[in-house]
Amino acid sequence: MTAKKYTKKPVQIEALLYTGGTDSTLFLAGALATHRLTRLITLDEITRPARSRLYDHLSEQRPDATPFVRTTRKSLAYLLTCPWCVSVYAGTATALLQDRRLSGGTFIKALAYSTVAGTTEAVIDRLNRNF
């Protein structure tokens, strides 16, 4: 009696994401997309001009503002620079897109791919500096 040879079929992540995927692939894609969106909002150079203008606008003190309005504006200004804070909202947006309440599967994949590419580049850059 001969044993059957087991061959593992390759998993195509794009197909899994498009068709709903498995819980682990959806979670990974969502986590990567959330990371990328958070970084885009809080740290990336490309969004710095808009972030700076909005931060300055929210940070300026208005003498006629109530204490509540001043505190709220100050908190919103801080939010623009806080990755932990923004990640909650970015994660919510990503989850809504993944649940297909909004049509955003391509957007999530793009953000996830961007995170993988950016992280890979950072690792390669660090390795090159060490050699």
Side-chain angles (χ1 to χ4, degrees), residues 2 4 8 22-23 26 38 46-47 63-64 71 73 77-78 81 86 92-93 97 105 111 118 123:
T2 60
K4 289 184 181 179
K8 196 173 185 181
T22 64
D23 287 343
L26 289 174
T38 299
I46 196 166
T47 56
D64 59 336
T71 302
R73 290 172 62 92
Y78 174 75
T81 60
V86 171
T92 301
L97 289 169
L111 291 172
V123 168

Side-chain angles (χ1 to χ4, degrees), residues 16-121:
L16 287 172
L17 291 173
Y18 182 74
T19 60
T22 64
D23 287 343
S24 58
T25 58
L26 289 174
F27 178 80
L28 180 61
L32 292 171
T34 298
H35 171 264
R36 184 66 192 107
L37 186 56
T38 299
R39 185 170 177 84
L40 182 67
I41 293 168
T42 61
L43 298 171
D44 277 0
E45 187 63 26
I46 196 166
T47 56
R48 187 185 57 75
R51 188 173 54 248
S52 292
R53 281 194 302 272
L54 188 55
Y55 184 87
D56 291 344
H57 174 72
L58 291 170
S59 295
E60 78 181 34
Q61 296 297 320
R62 297 184 176 188
D64 59 336
T66 65
F68 173 77
V69 169
R70 282 195 298 268
T71 302
T72 301
R73 290 172 62 92
K74 191 177 190 181
S75 297
L76 288 173
Y78 174 75
L79 179 70
L80 290 171
T81 60
C82 174
W84 283 101
C85 305
V86 171
S87 69
V88 173
Y89 299 101
T92 301
T94 301
L96 287 172
L97 289 169
Q98 267 188 333
D99 288 344
R100 303 209 188 259
R101 292 189 183 121
L102 303 169
S103 178
T106 302
F107 183 65
I108 289 172
K109 286 191 287 186
L111 291 172
Y113 296 158
S114 174
T115 294
V116 172
T119 303
T120 302
E121 183 58 36

